[in-house]
Structure formats: structure tokens, C-alpha cells
Amino acid sequence: MNFRQFVVRNTLRNKHLYLAYFLSTLFSVMVFFTFSVMAFHPSLSGNLNDKVQTGMLGSAIIIYAFAFFFVMYSMGVFLQSRKKEFGLLMIQGMSPKQLRKMVFIENLVIGFFATILGSLVGIAFSQIILWISHVTLGIDFGFYFPMKALALTIVSFLILFFLISFFIQFRLPKLNVQELLKAGELGKGSFKVSPIKSILAILLIGIGYAVALLTLGMGVVVVFLPVVFIVILGTNFLFNQFSVFAIEKIKKRESVFWKKTNMVVFSDLAFRMKDNARSFFLVSVISTVAFAAIGTLYGLQAIILGAVGSAPYSYSATVDEENTIQQVDASLAKEKLTADKATFVYYNEDDYQIITETEYNKVAKLVGEETLQVKNEAIQLKSSVPFDVTQPQSTVKIKDKSYNVNDLVVTDALSICLPTFVVPDTQKGTQQEIQETYWVTKGEKEAQIRVGKELEKQGLYTVQSVEYMKDSIIKSYAPVLFVGIFIGIVFFVSAGSFLYFRLYSDMDSDIEKFKMIYKLGLSKKELKKMIYQQVGILFFTPIIVSFVHGAVALTAMYHMFNLRMQLAGWQVLVIFLLIQFIYYLVARIFYFRKVYKGVSA
């Protein structure tokens, strides 16, 4: 048996040791392949404009770069957990050069099988994703064999694993044989915590939050980079310093530390937080990016659709030709849709609009809103759309006459783009007179969309159909939303994989610790409780931080439009939190089974 055969057989025989690393690399391959399937899909790539296609290419590069970083990080953690194994091999006569060569070949073997299997699993997974996108976003994808995506994935990841295999050799632990053999017995050592940095963590995050939440309008863009830098620095100190500082303070409180099994949980928790500080920091940043990306895209779509959906009409027409109304009526009759309609007149002045009492009340009655009565005064109208920033005015001047504005009425009877006032019937505008007709109809949504398409084919571009506009927005926005959601999910699931992989890298030390306690009479129920608490702290500490970061980031985004945090943003955050909770429930069960098997053996 030559050296290469020894390495390959050792890898295959100890596959349980390599499983976590193998699964993380397989996941990276599968994600990139799935995205490539979407990017090369004939029905998608042919219908996207140049900017969106450029965005797809950029997204693919981001995912590939992230895969490189993720696999490199996973491999680094994997090597650190194998110090004792390396020490045993060196006792048997393996030289440092052969050790590096072994790691190189191992990585190539794992990378090769992960690439092939990840691509095969990705074929099935990609079709499920495309089907889900069709059901949820209305993108009409058909099945096709992704030859381009398959070739690109295999070539790209074989190159990636070759490069990682080459560079990872130089990240082997720099220890002598004795230190390698005693890697699990050296203890955690000691560390120092800086109270100043601990306080600075809270201070920096607090300042970042305050600036982000208090800044309105386009000022959000100005403060974006400084706030991101401050919060990221504060988050680093939060995990690296403050978390350890807080745990040490808790341990000094006997009422908490000596309660039931808390002593075991908290005994080495500070060391765990210190060891996992980098992982927690990365998970928090990655998860926050996922929250913000998906929340922003989903929120913007909700805002746009909400603005369109707030229109009081099913169809509207600014009449330029006499036969426009007849054509709309004919199209509605063709689809057997009945509608109430009203034609009214308003005036566009230089920087505002006016409409008389009678003309406004025509529309109000049509859409079921209260009519207005004005005397020798004016009433200002304000849209119910959240981002309407109409400022109340005390007077309005028309021709040479001024009217006091005695009321501000919120209404959806008119689409309000400029300050709009209802004035007495005796008053006429001085500028452009506009005649508009509204149709309000109830009927099948698809039928209303077909009417909108038909009117567009007839060249009636002055006619607007609410359902057709909403359908067009959803279909044009769906590919971009899908890309954003996909990348966000990749980041979030990768963050969970970081935690999962880190958890299993400490399993051997956990088994040894709990085995000693178990011999002293620890029950299975108590062991389960401690492991569940330990896994819960590991999973939820960075996620809760990223949840708060994400909420602040989304609130700041909505402040650009002078809005409060919208329901869409909270929905995204809660869904991700729910996914992480399910992830935790599954992980803790599997982890407990493996630890208990090792403890009771």
C-alpha cells in the first residue's frame, strides 16, 4: 500500500470524522449549482434586461466567493480539531511534509466527491426551488437539463478545492508532537477581558442604533457606511469581550451559579464564548445581511404594490379621444364584467391640484367615501398611502382669490401626487383642465388583468388597470426578488451551518466532560437539559443579535421613505427566527444522541 492509497483509505474508513466538513462543502456546491440553474434557465435569462443579468452575474460571483470563504473556514476548524490525530501520525514516522501532502490529498478527495454528489443533489433541489418560485412568485419556469450549470459548477469547484487544498497546507497547527498529543488535555488556559472594551461594545452599538433610527429621508444614505462600521466594531467587542465579561459576573452570583445544573453549564461557558467569538461575529454579520437584503426587497415590493393597490378605481382613463370610454366599456363587456363609472374634471395648477365640490363628490359616491361640503373655504386632501408626505397648508390662492384651508381629509377617492384642494363650485382653475373617468368593478382578478392587456394592445396608454399594473409589477420584480431571497437564504443557512459545524468540532471534549460527570450520578434527564441549554446558547446568541441588527437596519431603510417599520419587514424577521428555531430543535436532538452514546458507552 503506497502513501496515496493510505490517505484515501483512511479518509473513507473514518468518514464519520469527515462528515461535517463533507456536508458543509456539499452544501456549498449544491447552492452554487442551484443558482446557476436559475441563471442559465432559458425562460429567465432571455427575458431579463442587461442590468438584471449583470446583477445575476455579480450574485453568482458573490456566492462563489462566499463558498470559497466558507469551505476555507470549515477546513480550518476541522484541522484544529484533529491535533491529536496529527500527533499520533507523526509518532508513527510521518514527516511534516507528508502530513501536508496527506491534507492536500484528503481535501482533493473530499472536494471531488462533494462536487459530484452536490451537483447530483442540486439537480433535484434546483427543480424544487424553481417549482416553489413558480408557485409563490409567479415565474413560469419549465424543466430543462442544466448542462451549462453542471459544467460550470464542476469546473469551478474542482478549481476551488484544488486551490484550497494547496493553501490549507500552510494552516496546519504549528505545534510539536507532545503538544499535539495533549491537545485535548492542555485545558483552556487563561484569558483577560477588558472592561473598557466591554463597555465600548454597548456604547458603539447604541450610538449606531441611535443614528440609524433618528436619521430620516436621504440622510440614511449619508450615515449608512459610518453606522455599519460602528455597529460591526461594536459587535466584535460584544462577543469577544462583553459576553465573557457578563458570564464572569454571573458566575460570581452564587444564587445563579449554584442553582441545579447551572454550575456545569456556566463553568466553561466563558471559554466557549471566547473560542466561538469569531464564529458568532461572522454568523451575526452574515445573518444581518440576509435579514436586510430579503426584508428590503420584500418590503419595497409590498410598498409599491400597496401604493398601486390604494388606487380607488379598477380602471381609469384620462380622456384624450372621444372613443376611449366606449373602448373600455366594450372590453369590460367582452369579459362579462359590470362596472360603475364616473367622469369628473379637475385642474392642474403650477404646483397643486384643485377640484370642485360637485366633481369630487361624484368620485366619493362612486368609491363609497363620504362626500364633502365646502362654503367659502377649501379642504385639503391627503392620501392614506403611508409615504404620502403632504404638508398641511393654511391657505391656497387661485387666480386673485385666497381660500382658508380649514380641514385636512384623508381619502383614497383620488390619486394624490400634488397638494390637492376641494374648492366651491363657483371656482374654476386657471391652468390645465383634465377630464378623467373611473371604473369600479368587481369580478375575477384574471378577467380584470385580461382587460388591462387588451386595452394595452389597443394602444390605450392613457388607461390604467390596477390589477394589470399589480400583475406587471409582480412579474417584472419577481426575478430580482427571487435572486435576493435566494442569496439571503444562502447566507442565513450558511450561518446555521457555521454553528452546526462548530458545535460538532467540540463534541469530543463535551463527551469527555460529561462522561466524568455522568459517572458521579448525573441522570439522562439532567444531561439532556444541560446539552439543550448549551446548544441553545450557541445557536441563539448570534441570531438574537442579528435579529436586533436586522430590525434596526430595516427600520432605517423604511425611514428613507419616511415610513415606520412595515409588516413585511417583521414578517421576514419572524420567519427567519422560526427557521432558526426549527434548526435548533433538530440539531439539539442529533447532538444529544451522539453525546449520550459516547458518555454511556
Side-chain angles (χ1 to χ4, degrees):
M1 180 175 66
N2 58 34
F3 183 77
R4 292 184 181 179
Q5 289 175 329
F6 163 75
V7 175
V8 173
R9 290 176 183 177
N10 180 63
T11 303
L12 295 176
R13 287 172 181 171
N14 297 285
K15 52 184 177 292
H16 64 284
L17 297 175
Y18 299 84
L19 185 60
Y21 174 60
F22 175 77
L23 291 177
S24 66
T25 55
L26 185 147
F27 167 76
S28 300
V29 174
M30 184 184 69
V31 166
F32 182 81
F33 177 80
T34 303
F35 187 83
S36 300
V37 169
M38 179 188 65
F40 288 116
H41 198 289
S43 62
L44 183 60
S45 58
N47 297 326
L48 296 179
N49 59 41
D50 293 338
K51 290 184 178 179
V52 178
Q53 287 180 340
T54 302
M56 296 279 282
L57 176 61
S59 301
I61 295 173
I62 290 173
I63 292 176
Y64 186 74
F66 187 78
F68 183 91
F69 172 77
F70 178 61
V71 173
M72 179 71 81
Y73 176 83
S74 300
M75 188 60 180
V77 175
F78 181 50
L79 292 177
Q80 290 296 321
S81 66
R82 297 173 62 195
K83 290 181 179 179
K84 183 175 290 187
E85 177 190 345
F86 293 154
L88 290 172
L89 290 173
M90 292 180 72
I91 284 181
Q92 298 299 320
M94 182 175 286
S95 66
K97 182 179 179 180
Q98 287 178 316
L99 187 63
R100 288 195 295 269
K101 185 178 179 181
M102 182 190 75
V103 172
F104 178 79
I105 297 174
E106 278 182 351
N107 217 19
L108 283 182
V109 171
I110 294 175
F112 174 79
F113 284 106
T115 300
I116 301 302
L117 188 57
S119 299
L120 294 176
V121 175
I123 292 176
F125 181 71
S126 62
Q127 299 308 315
I128 295 174
I129 293 294
L130 295 178
W131 175 77
I132 292 174
S133 68
H134 172 68
V135 173
T136 57
L137 300 176
I139 306 176
D140 189 16
F141 287 118
F143 177 80
Y144 83 110
F145 188 77
M147 184 58 71
K148 288 184 179 179
L150 187 62
L152 176 65
T153 302
I154 292 176
V155 172
S156 299
F157 274 86
L158 287 180
I159 294 173
L160 181 145
F161 284 116
F162 178 82
L163 293 174
I164 289 179
S165 300
F166 177 77
F167 288 115
I168 205 69
Q169 304 173 65
F170 306 105
R171 296 187 61 183
L172 291 175
K174 306 291 186 181
L175 296 173
N176 58 42
V177 175
Q178 185 177 5
E179 290 175 324
L180 288 172
L181 289 173
K182 293 183 178 181
E185 304 170 8
L186 291 176
K188 296 290 185 177
S190 60
F191 56 83
K192 293 182 179 180
V193 179
S194 170
I196 296 177
K197 289 183 179 179
S198 300
I199 297 172
L200 195 60
I202 304 301
L203 191 62
L204 288 174
I205 294 175
I207 292 173
Y209 282 1
V211 174
L213 295 175
L214 296 177
T215 305
L216 301 176
M218 296 310 295
V220 175
V221 179
V222 177
V223 302
F224 174 75
L225 289 178
V227 167
V228 168
F229 175 77
I230 289 173
V231 172
I232 286 179
L233 183 60
T235 304
N236 184 36
F237 288 154
L238 180 72
F239 291 121
N240 195 37
Q241 299 292 328
F242 178 79
S243 62
V244 181
F245 178 78
I247 291 169
E248 291 298 315
K249 289 293 184 182
I250 292 174
K251 288 169 65 175
K252 293 179 180 179
R253 297 184 60 181
E254 294 184 1
S255 59
V256 176
F257 184 68
W258 292 97
K259 184 178 180 181
K260 296 182 179 180
T261 57
N262 285 355
M263 181 178 66
V264 179
V265 176
F266 284 101
S267 61
D268 66 343
L269 185 58
F271 292 100
R272 281 185 173 272
M273 294 299 292
K274 190 73 173 179
D275 289 343
N276 293 316
R278 183 182 297 177
S279 300
F280 286 173
F281 172 71
L282 291 173
V283 168
S284 296
V285 173
I286 291 169
S287 299
T288 302
V289 171
F291 291 156
I294 297 180
T296 299
L297 288 171
Y298 184 59
L300 287 177
Q301 176 181 269
I303 291 172
I304 295 170
L305 290 177
V308 174
S310 68
Y313 51 78
S314 303
Y315 304 89
S316 73
T318 303
V319 180
D320 295 327
E321 300 177 1
E322 292 184 1
N323 64 344
T324 300
I325 296 177
Q326 289 78 3
Q327 287 177 283
V328 175
D329 289 336
S331 297
L332 292 172
K334 184 179 178 181
E335 292 291 341
K336 298 180 181 180
L337 292 172
T338 58
D340 297 323
K341 67 180 179 182
T343 300
F344 61 96
V345 174
Y346 64 92
Y347 298 88
N348 259 351
E349 301 297 322
D350 292 331
D351 53 359
Y352 59 91
Q353 297 177 149
I354 63 170
I355 184 171
T356 62
E357 175 188 324
T358 300
E359 296 298 304
Y360 173 79
N361 288 337
K362 285 183 186 179
V363 186
K365 290 176 183 177
L366 177 69
V367 299
E369 292 202 11
E370 292 185 6
T371 57
L372 298 178
Q373 292 183 348
V374 294
K375 296 180 181 179
N376 193 25
E377 61 183 12
I379 296 177
Q380 187 173 358
L381 302 179
K382 177 179 174 63
S383 174
S384 65
V385 175
F387 51 84
D388 181 6
V389 291
T390 299
Q391 297 297 321
Q393 295 181 208
S394 58
T395 60
V396 58
K397 187 174 182 179
I398 306 171
K399 293 184 179 178
D400 295 328
K401 188 171 183 180
S402 293
Y403 291 91
N404 292 324
V405 180
N406 294 327
D407 201 0
L408 179 66
V409 175
V410 178
T411 178
D412 283 326
L414 296 176
S415 296
I416 299 172
C417 300
L418 296 172
T420 303
F421 303 90
V422 181
V423 297
D425 291 340
T426 56
Q427 179 64 62
K428 303 295 182 183
T430 61
Q431 303 288 334
Q432 182 183 11
E433 178 181 307
I434 299 174
Q435 180 179 319
E436 193 159 353
T437 302
Y438 282 177
W439 287 263
V440 176
T441 181
K442 295 181 180 179
E444 186 183 344
K445 178 180 176 181
E446 294 299 324
Q448 295 190 51
I449 293 173
R450 288 195 295 270
V451 171
K453 290 181 180 178
E454 179 64 26
L455 295 173
E456 187 177 72
K457 288 180 181 178
Q458 295 176 17
L460 300 179
Y461 299 110
T462 59
V463 180
Q464 293 182 333
S465 166
V466 171
E467 291 298 341
Y468 180 55
M469 284 192 295
K470 288 167 66 176
D471 183 67
S472 299
I473 290 170
I474 290 173
K475 287 183 177 178
S476 61
Y477 197 80
V480 179
L481 180 62
F482 182 66
V483 171
I485 290 177
F486 189 87
I487 294 176
I489 291 174
V490 168
F491 280 19
F492 187 74
V493 176
S494 298
S497 299
F498 271 130
L499 297 176
Y500 187 82
F501 188 73
R502 185 67 189 180
L503 182 69
Y504 272 79
S505 67
D506 294 332
M507 181 179 291
D508 290 339
S509 61
D510 281 346
I511 290 175
E512 293 300 320
K513 178 182 72 174
F514 288 122
K515 184 178 287 187
M516 289 186 291
I517 304 174
Y518 192 71
K519 290 179 180 179
L520 297 176
L522 185 73
S523 67
K524 182 178 179 180
K525 183 178 179 181
E526 291 172 327
L527 176 63
K528 179 184 290 186
K529 179 183 176 182
M530 287 189 293
I531 290 177
Y532 283 4
Q533 288 176 336
Q534 180 175 297
V535 175
I537 292 171
L538 179 67
F539 267 75
F540 288 108
T541 298
I543 293 301
I544 290 174
V545 172
S546 60
F547 181 91
V548 179
H549 284 357
V552 173
L554 289 176
T555 302
M557 185 277 294
Y558 287 120
H559 280 177
M560 290 178 62
F561 306 96
N562 293 302
L563 297 173
R564 294 181 180 179
M565 181 69 160
Q566 298 295 293
L567 178 61
W570 288 117
Q571 287 174 337
V572 170
L573 292 173
V574 171
I575 288 173
F576 273 109
L577 194 61
L578 181 61
I579 292 172
Q580 186 67 16
F581 182 71
I582 295 172
Y583 204 156
Y584 157 72
L585 292 178
V586 174
R588 74 176 191 174
I589 292 173
F590 282 100
Y591 190 71
F592 171 74
R593 287 178 181 175
K594 288 184 176 294
V595 172
Y596 184 71
K597 183 179 179 181
V599 168
S600 58

